[in-house]
Structures are given as C-alpha cells and as structure tokens.
Amino acid sequence: MHLTNDQLNEYLDKATHERAQIESHLDSCDECAARLSTLQNLFAELDSLPELELTRDLAARFTPRPSLPAQLPKFLTLTVSLQAAVALTAIIIAMPFIVQLIPVLEISSLSNVFIQLQTQWTTWLDMLSQVQFPTLPTFTFEISSIYLMSALVGVFMLWLVGNGLLLRNQIK
Ligand SMILES: [Zn+2]
C-alpha cells in the first residue's frame, strides 16, 4: 500500500499522527519518496510566487454611489405607498375588463396548463397517501389564478413605471 496524497500533504504540514509509519514507508519506497519531493517542490514554488496586486479595486464597485440618498425622503416613501394603494385599487376595479380583453385562445391554453398542473398535483397526492382525493372545482381555480396573476403583473408594472418616474425626477 502506497501513501495517499492526503497522507503526504499532512506529513508536509506536520499535521500527521502517523509520522513514524510514513517515514519508514518513504525509506523503503522510491515512488512515494519521489511524490513527496514533487509536492515539496510545488509548495516551494507556490511560496516563491510574488503577491499579485489586483489591477482594479473590486471593493470600489460595491460601495454605494454618494450621489444617491441613503434613504428615501419621507414624502417620497409616502408617495410610493399611496401610488401602490392606488395601483392596487385600479387593478382590482379594472380586472373584469382585463380578463375580457385576454383572447379566448389564451384562456383555453392557460386553463389547459392549470388542469394539467392540477392533475399532476392530485396524482402525486394520491401516490403519496394512497387515498383518493376529491377533484378540486376546476372553474373557480382557473379564474382566481388568472385574476391573481394579472393583478400581480399589473401592480408590478405600475410600481416599476411609477418609481422610475419618481426617481428620475429626484435625481434631476
Ligand atoms: Zn509507496
């Protein structure tokens, strides 16, 4: 049995409890002695390498730009909150119209996806518990998912646009 690389490394680091065994193997085995001297040369070379200076200061990239205020001013925070509330209300009110605007084709493909997901889910539950689950009311499930998704997307878009305008005015 030859010495492992770990054993040789530990021997070089003087972090081994098998020092005597390793030394007796090294005395009798040219192959492991050669590996040890290769490792020794490698470490000596690594030690002799000069420390490299980074050409660019990486930390500078992550320090906040002083031009931006650390915290949003109070009136701005209030504006953003109000804006979000208004956006949410608008979305909820507009939702029935938005749903009507979505093409029928898209709704049917969406519901196909939902039905597939639901089938997968129930199959998985069945497999898991070996108990027959009653199928969920598909219609309610579809509509609420579409509502929720459109509402989230709409609020996000309004939020994004509104904040973009606010911040642009702030920086000017
Ligand atoms: Zn050996």
Side-chain angles (χ1 to χ4, degrees):
M1 276 292 282
H2 287 298
L3 297 170
T4 66
N5 284 333
D6 282 346
Q7 280 175 307
L8 289 177
N9 277 320
E10 281 170 9
Y11 178 75
L12 282 176
D13 289 342
K14 297 184 171 57
T16 180
H17 301 294
E18 318 162 315
R19 199 165 185 86
Q21 288 162 259
I22 289 173
E23 274 171 352
S24 77
H25 182 89
L26 286 171
D27 285 340
S28 61
C29 177
D30 289 340
E31 201 181 315
C32 285
R35 280 168 61 215
L36 181 71
S37 75
T38 307
L39 273 178
Q40 267 172 323
N41 287 338
L42 180 68
F43 286 134
E45 239 173 278
L46 286 176
D47 279 341
S48 71
L49 287 177
E51 296 257 336
L52 285 178
E53 290 283 332
L54 289 178
T55 49
R56 269 199 242 171
D57 189 4
L58 285 177
R61 285 184 167 197
F62 299 101
T63 47
R65 277 182 293 167
S67 57
L68 287 176
Q71 221 172 3
L72 289 176
K74 262 206 178 118
F75 79 91
L76 199 59
T77 315
L78 189 69
T79 317
V80 169
S81 311
L82 275 174
Q83 180 197 9
V86 170
L88 193 66
T89 316
I91 283 293
I92 289 168
I93 292 170
M95 193 49 62
F97 304 103
I98 292 174
V99 169
Q100 274 175 6
L101 285 175
I102 298 173
V104 183
L105 193 75
E106 209 171 314
I107 287 188
S108 67
S109 67
L110 260 183
S111 47
N112 280 341
V113 170
F114 285 133
I115 291 166
Q116 272 175 15
L117 278 177
Q118 194 196 344
T119 317
Q120 291 271 311
W121 176 244
T122 28
T123 315
W124 185 72
L125 282 180
D126 281 345
M127 269 168 50
L128 196 71
S129 57
Q130 297 296 321
V131 173
Q132 190 68 42
F133 273 76
T135 40
L136 296 167
T138 317
F139 184 74
T140 325
F141 180 69
E142 276 170 39
I143 290 300
S144 63
S145 299
I146 292 170
Y147 263 72
L148 194 67
M149 233 169 56
S150 318
L152 283 176
V153 169
V155 168
F156 180 69
M157 295 292 276
L158 279 176
W159 181 278
L160 213 64
V161 170
N163 281 358
L165 290 176
L166 276 175
L167 280 178
R168 219 173 54 177
N169 290 340
Q170 185 72 10
I171 288 168
K172 262 180 194 171

